């Protein structure tokens, strides 16, 4: 039952969001305490703990935490200083203005501008202290020492990923432990030390104080991987990951090249269940109804712009493959010329497709062209979040060339999806393979929190022109 609401990736995201929201709440209370006039015989705490102040503090915390998510502060782990300052500044300005309007709306009897100003100042100081303490704690804990079993291309890629920073900034690659696969020492030069395979793995772990082992070998049968030594290390308390689990944790994707049917059968995830289906359907109905009400003016304006920009219908219908491999008619605002596929051959849309109209280019970048699909969500043909539906001709092609492609059809297709917020624009077989790995991650780990995270990150993608269409 708990799985309906939580998954591993969104856990960290919402913990950070809650921590920052709590910091905003405290900053608003401190601001109110600063502005409160001392009253004889009345405790300062009693003066600020009032329904009005608590409502203001809660509103400020909620708005700021959501804005942090919308500008991508939790989505990006390696933002440079300037982009981070710009995004935080945008969140501060917009959040402060929304809070100011809230104070005016509830007829706050104090100085609304001063309360917001002090709240932002306290928040800025709190953020610096909070991040500073977090950095000191990370330094005190130290780095986790990692040993990579394998010396092939996968092992080198794992080493590169671990040294790229982000969530793995506290990890240090001690070296590679060779297996029966051929070792290209020239390719490994400068990456990390290559140990002698004649040394026992258990002794290396003890000697070099290894905290974690990653088995970066696709084929583990035939005695190439020292399973008995790995088992002894595991019993000794050293965590061990294979490639599939490593990439699921690091990149939130499921690599199809190293995927085995046994991993799908015996591993966790890939569970829907009645409780999950019910919560997802309720979430779809509520969220699509709200978005239709809020987006009605935008949809009317878009329809008018399309009509004035180029001849042809306003809406475009196209058959797509949905839940269980069944077809349905997907409705979008028309973004291409009417003769885009006059020869009847289905083609992937490219990034700078010449078939796209002027209005079409704008509505595709902002994803306004997808808004009519909200009606498909209400009808139950689609969901708010899920793998993007493909055309039957593409599905037939991709099913033959991408392993486990039909697993994406075990859930409803989505208006937006994990692949759309995690991968850049793609219009090739290799891009489809890469996006499928993100879709597999969603199918395996789908939950209400993951749906919320995708919707929040979609706002970031639209605002900063990131991700794929």
């Amino acid at each position: 039952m708990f799985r309906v609401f939580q998954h591993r990736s969104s856990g960290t995201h919402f913990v950070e969001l809650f921590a920052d929201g709590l910091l905003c709440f405290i900053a608003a209370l401190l601001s109110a305490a600063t502005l409160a006039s001392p009253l004889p015989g009345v405790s300062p705490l009693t003066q600020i703990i009032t329904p009005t102040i608590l409502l203001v503090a809660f509103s400020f915390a909620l708005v700021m935490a959501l804005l942090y998510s919308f500008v991508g502060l939790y989505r990006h782990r390696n933002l440079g200083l300037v982009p981070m300052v710009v995004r935080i500044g945008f969140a501060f300005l917009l959040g402060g203005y929304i809070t100011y309007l809230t104070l005016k709306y509830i007829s706050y009897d104090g100085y609304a501008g001063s309360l917001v100003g002090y709240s932002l100042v306290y928040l800025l100081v709190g953020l610096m202290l909070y991040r500073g303490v977090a950095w000191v704690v990370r330094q005190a804990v130290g780095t986790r020492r990692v040993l990579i079993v394998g010396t092939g291309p996968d092992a080198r890629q794992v080493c590169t990923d671990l040294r790229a920073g982000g969530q793995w900034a506290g990890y240090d690659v001690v070296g590679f432990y060779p297996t029966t696969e051929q070792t290209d020492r020239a390719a490994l030069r400068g990456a990390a030390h290559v140990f002698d395979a004649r040394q026992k793995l258990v002794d290396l772990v003890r000697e070099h104080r290894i905290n974690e082992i990653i088995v970066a070998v696709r084929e583990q049968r035939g005695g190439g991987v020292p399973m008995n030594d790995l088992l002894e290390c595991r019993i000794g308390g050293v965590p061990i990951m294979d490639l599939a689990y490593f990439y699921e944790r690091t990149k939130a994707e499921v690599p199809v090249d190293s995927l085995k049917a046994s991993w799908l059968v015996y591993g966790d995830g890939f569970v829907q269940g009645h409780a999950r289906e019910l919560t997802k359907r309720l979430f779809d109905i509520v969220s699509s109804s709200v978005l239709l009400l809020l987006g009605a003016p935008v949809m009317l304006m878009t329809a008018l712009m399309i009509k004035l920009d180029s001849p042809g219908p306003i809406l475009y219908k196209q058959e797509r493959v949905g839940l269980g491999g069944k077809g349905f008619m997907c409705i979008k605002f028309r973004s291409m010329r009417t003769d885009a596929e006059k020869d009847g051959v289905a083609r992937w849309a490219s990034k700078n497709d010449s078939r796209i109209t002027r209005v079409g280019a704008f509505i595709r970048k902002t994803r306004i062209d997808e808004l009519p699909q909200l009606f498909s969500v209400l009808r139950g043909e689609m969901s708010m979040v899920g793998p993007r539906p493909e055309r039957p001709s593409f599905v037939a092609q991709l099913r033959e060339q991408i392993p486990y492609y039909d697993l994406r059809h075990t859930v409803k297709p989505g208006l937006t999806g994990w692949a759309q917020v995690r991968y850049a624009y793609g219009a090739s077989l290799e891009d489809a393979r890469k996006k499928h790995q993100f879709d597999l991650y969603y199918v395996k780990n789908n939950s209400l929190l993951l749906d919320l995270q995708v919707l929040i990150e979609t706002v970031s993608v639209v605002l900063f022109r990131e991700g794929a269409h």
Side-chain angles (χ1 to χ4, degrees):
M1 177 65 181
F2 187 62
R3 179 182 155 72
V4 170
F5 301 98
Q6 186 178 19
H7 78 106
R8 284 188 296 269
S9 176
S10 64
T12 302
H13 179 102
F14 284 97
V15 166
E16 292 176 349
L17 188 147
F18 176 79
D20 285 332
L22 181 61
L23 193 61
C24 295
F25 185 83
I26 294 172
L29 292 182
L30 289 175
S31 176
T34 302
L35 295 172
S37 301
L39 295 176
V42 179
S43 168
L45 188 62
T46 305
Q47 284 186 257
I48 63 172
I49 304 301
T50 65
T52 301
I53 296 299
L54 290 177
L55 175 61
V56 171
F58 178 78
S59 301
F60 181 66
L62 179 63
V63 168
M64 292 303 299
L66 288 177
L67 284 174
Y68 286 166
S69 295
F70 291 156
V71 299
L73 292 181
Y74 304 123
R75 180 170 183 262
H76 297 280
R77 300 298 178 185
N78 294 311
L79 272 178
L81 178 61
V82 174
M84 180 176 292
V85 170
V86 169
R87 295 183 189 220
I88 291 177
F90 175 79
F92 268 46
L93 289 174
L94 185 56
Y97 182 65
I98 293 175
T99 306
Y100 177 80
L101 293 180
T102 302
L103 291 171
K104 290 295 186 182
Y105 178 77
I106 64 175
S107 301
Y108 175 65
D109 56 2
Y111 296 99
S114 298
L115 182 62
V116 172
Y118 276 112
S119 296
L120 293 175
V121 169
Y122 281 126
L123 177 57
L124 183 60
V125 173
L127 279 175
M128 291 189 292
L129 290 174
Y130 171 57
R131 304 301 180 191
V133 170
W135 183 84
V136 170
V137 170
R138 284 196 300 269
Q139 297 303 308
V141 171
T143 59
R144 290 182 62 81
R145 298 170 63 80
V146 177
L147 176 67
I148 300 175
V149 174
T151 55
D154 291 312
R156 296 196 297 271
Q157 186 59 53
V158 167
C159 181
T160 300
D161 291 336
L162 287 174
R163 291 181 170 177
Q167 74 176 89
W168 297 91
Y171 285 75
D172 176 34
V173 178
V174 176
F176 299 95
Y177 185 81
T179 60
T180 55
E181 64 182 358
Q182 186 175 0
T183 301
D184 187 350
R185 293 187 178 273
L188 291 172
R189 187 176 295 119
H193 178 70
V194 180
F195 293 104
D196 190 336
R198 290 173 295 183
Q199 294 179 272
K200 283 188 65 66
L201 187 60
V202 179
D203 295 335
L204 284 176
V205 168
R206 187 180 301 111
E207 179 184 350
H208 295 275
R209 306 185 310 279
I210 301 299
N211 303 115
E212 199 157 337
I213 297 175
I214 300 173
V215 182
V217 181
R218 293 178 189 266
E219 184 53 62
Q220 300 181 19
R221 293 173 296 184
V225 176
M227 298 303 295
N228 289 334
D229 284 358
L230 286 172
L231 177 59
E232 190 173 346
C233 294
R234 180 68 183 86
I235 293 174
V238 179
I240 299 174
M241 288 188 288
D242 61 5
L243 273 175
Y245 185 56
F246 172 75
Y247 280 107
E248 187 178 355
R249 281 184 59 185
T250 58
K251 298 184 177 181
E253 62 180 284
V254 175
V256 294
D257 290 334
S258 59
L259 201 57
K260 297 180 177 64
S262 59
W263 187 81
L264 298 173
V265 173
Y266 297 115
D268 62 346
F270 296 104
V271 177
Q272 308 302 319
H274 295 301
R276 168 60 179 153
E277 291 176 2
L278 177 61
T279 55
K280 189 171 181 64
R281 183 61 185 143
L282 290 174
F283 177 78
D284 288 340
I285 292 173
V286 173
S287 56
S288 59
S289 299
V290 171
L291 286 176
L292 278 172
L293 288 174
L294 296 176
V298 176
M299 295 174 71
L300 290 174
M301 182 63 69
T302 302
L304 179 61
M305 291 170 61
I306 293 173
K307 199 65 179 176
L308 295 175
D309 180 55
S310 62
I314 294 172
L315 297 176
Y316 178 66
K317 295 183 179 180
Q318 194 176 69
E319 185 180 4
R320 298 291 176 101
V321 178
L323 179 64
K326 297 179 181 179
F328 72 99
M329 296 308 295
C330 181
I331 306 173
K332 302 172 67 173
F333 279 121
R334 181 175 59 84
S335 60
M336 290 189 175
R337 303 191 310 267
T338 54
D339 61 348
E341 293 181 353
K342 57 184 177 181
D343 56 359
V345 178
R347 296 182 180 86
W348 272 314
S350 58
K351 188 171 184 179
N352 297 306
D353 203 316
S354 60
R355 299 173 296 167
I356 299 175
T357 64
R358 290 174 300 177
V359 171
F362 172 75
I363 63 176
R364 286 171 71 90
K365 287 179 180 177
T366 55
R367 306 209 178 181
I368 294 175
D369 64 323
E370 311 283 359
L371 289 179
Q373 292 170 41
L374 289 169
F375 292 105
S376 296
V377 176
L378 271 180
R379 288 197 298 266
E381 297 170 334
M382 294 179 63
S383 178
M384 286 299 297
V385 179
R388 289 294 296 150
E390 289 289 359
R391 301 169 68 173
S393 57
F394 291 153
V395 169
Q397 175 189 355
L398 297 173
R399 183 184 287 129
E400 297 295 325
Q401 303 184 53
I402 299 179
Y404 307 106
Y405 189 77
D406 275 330
L407 280 176
R408 72 199 316 273
H409 299 135
T410 60
V411 297
K412 289 181 182 179
L415 185 67
T416 185
W418 191 242
Q420 277 60 48
V421 300
R422 291 284 158 165
Y423 190 66
Y425 196 100
S428 66
L429 176 61
E430 185 55 37
D431 289 326
R433 175 185 292 266
K434 189 69 175 177
K435 291 169 71 174
H436 178 57
Q437 295 184 162
F438 288 104
D439 286 333
L440 278 181
Y441 178 87
Y442 175 80
V443 175
K444 182 178 186 292
N445 298 284
N446 78 91
S447 66
L448 182 60
L449 285 187
L450 182 55
D451 286 351
L452 289 171
Q453 183 176 346
V454 171
L455 290 180
I456 289 173
E457 292 194 13
T458 299
V459 177
S460 172
V461 168
V462 172
L463 285 176
F464 296 97
R465 305 286 180 87
E466 302 164 338
H469 182 77

